[in-house]
Amino acid sequence: MAAETIWNKETVPKVMKIVSTRLQQRDLITLLLVNPSIHHTLLSHPSLWLVLDFHEMSNAGDRLVSALSLPRYRNVKHINLEFAQDIEDKLLENVKSKCGDSLLDLEILNLNGCQRISDKGIEVVTNTCPKLKVFSIYWNVRVTDVGITHLVKNCRFVVDLNLSGCKNITDKSLHLVADNYQELESLNITRCIKLTDSGLQRILLNCSSLQTLNLYALSTLTDEAYKMISRLPHLRFLDLCGAQNLTDDGLSCIAMCKNLVSLNLTWCVQVSDVGVIAIAQGCRSLELLSLFGILGVSDRCLEVLSSFCSNTLTTLDVNGCINIKNRSRDQLLKLFPNLMCFKVHS
């Protein structure tokens, strides 16, 4: 009996402290049911109960309300509802009315793929999360500039924003983001087809702390905006896939981003050796570069790229670049011995 007491009071807490930090949410909940000692030990570590992950789950709304009603989730910081079922405006209103206080410390909210959420839902949920830092609402065609207005009004500390696929937001949204989130570090506006140079230019003027910028499939933007990317001294990741209006002039300005480590130029059809050589000379820390499908580049740009980035590049995609003759795996490895990946675009 004494040995069992020592085991429960001393050994179990030590073991659980080590093991629990490596377990998934479901496993932690299962462990609560093993015995009272383990239950007590787990609940005595608040850091274990900061994340709620219901991505791709059915009945996610009911699960969320039930979880937030428990004392252990009173200070939750991260909620993932990505592609979860039954997430809609009424559910968010229910969360706010029943357990809104549990969201006061929330910092990360993932609503990717929750297509039944509208501007009203954005208003409700952001009104309960004043400390939100990371907000993602990928692939939502119901959200408009009205929803973004609620976001910037209610959540003043956002540094990571994913609006990818939100096809009904306009430059007004980017103006709001630029004017209210000047410490923004990451922005994804992939396929936001109503955006123009005006919106991006305001972002580039005001948000100089950006480290990640995803402009995938924004074919309406021009060099007038692209040239201003040079104003981002901390930029590390830039996705320009499908930038049909990007020219060597614009790319030469982007080459001023000395800290760039990842650059996707897939299908940037107006780019030539001139622009890529400028990148090679200016961005000497490049680890990933995709030139997929660019007909205007040749072996010449790879030779210059090798002179400046041969030790850093680990991913290089030149598939479809028919004017690069020496593009077999063995030939590329002679120029870039650290290459591990030869395909970015698929």
Side-chain angles (χ1 to χ4, degrees), residues 34-48:
V34 173
N35 67 39
S37 179
I38 290 178
H39 186 279
H40 175 77
T41 300
L42 289 175
L43 292 185
S44 68
H45 290 83
S47 61
L48 297 177

Side-chain angles (χ1 to χ4, degrees), residues 47-113:
S47 61
L48 297 177
W49 310 104
L50 299 178
V51 178
L52 283 170
D53 188 353
F54 298 120
H55 77 280
E56 299 182 354
M57 287 191 186
S58 59
N59 300 317
D62 292 338
R63 294 171 188 262
L64 178 63
V65 172
S66 297
L68 290 175
S69 300
L70 299 172
R72 63 176 178 267
Y73 288 114
R74 193 164 292 158
N75 302 110
V76 66
K77 292 187 180 297
H78 182 174
I79 293 178
N80 184 1
L81 296 171
E82 184 172 65
F83 291 102
Q85 298 180 24
D86 79 334
I87 302 300
E88 56 187 14
D89 292 349
K90 288 184 179 179
L91 180 277
L92 297 178
E93 291 174 354
N94 193 27
V95 169
K96 180 181 178 181
S97 63
K98 289 187 175 181
C99 36
D101 288 348
S102 296
L103 301 180
L104 292 176
D105 291 322
L106 191 68
E107 296 181 357
I108 302 173
L109 179 59
N110 186 338
L111 297 176
N112 288 343

Side-chain angles (χ1 to χ4, degrees), residues 165-301:
C166 295
K167 296 183 178 181
N168 285 312
I169 66 169
T170 72
D171 288 336
K172 180 180 178 181
S173 285
L174 289 197
H175 292 167
L176 288 166
V177 169
D179 293 343
N180 289 277
Y181 296 147
Q182 295 186 18
E183 299 303 315
L184 195 66
E185 296 176 2
S186 178
L187 177 65
N188 189 336
I189 48 176
T190 289
R191 298 189 188 280
C192 294
I193 57 177
K194 293 185 178 181
L195 301 180
T196 72
D197 285 350
S198 172
L200 181 58
Q201 285 172 321
R202 182 78 71 90
I203 290 287
L204 299 174
L205 278 171
N206 290 8
C207 304
S208 60
S209 296
L210 275 171
Q211 298 178 30
T212 299
L213 183 58
N214 195 318
L215 306 176
Y216 186 106
L218 294 178
S219 59
T220 58
L221 300 179
T222 74
D223 268 357
E224 293 304 308
Y226 293 134
K227 288 178 180 179
M228 292 180 62
I229 293 175
S230 64
R231 300 174 63 91
L232 304 179
H234 308 291
L235 192 64
R236 292 173 56 79
F237 303 91
L238 178 60
D239 192 335
L240 294 172
C241 178
Q244 298 177 11
N245 299 316
L246 175 67
T247 71
D248 290 330
D249 287 342
L251 198 53
S252 296
C253 291
I254 292 171
M256 296 174 64
C257 300
K258 306 295 184 183
N259 292 308
L260 209 58
V261 298
S262 177
L263 178 60
N264 187 358
L265 297 175
T266 294
W267 293 121
C268 292
V269 294
Q270 294 196 49
V271 167
S272 74
D273 285 339
V274 174
V276 178
I277 288 172
I279 289 293
Q281 294 171 335
C283 307
R284 303 186 184 187
S285 298
L286 269 184
E287 297 174 11
L288 180 151
L289 177 63
S290 176
L291 303 175
F292 182 97
I294 302 179
L295 304 183
V297 294
S298 69
D299 293 295
R300 178 169 169 258
C301 77

Side-chain angles (χ1 to χ4, degrees), residues 1-13 37:
M1 195 70 178
E4 183 179 349
T5 301
I6 294 174
W7 172 264
N8 286 334
K9 288 187 175 180
E10 298 182 12
T11 307
V12 168
S37 179

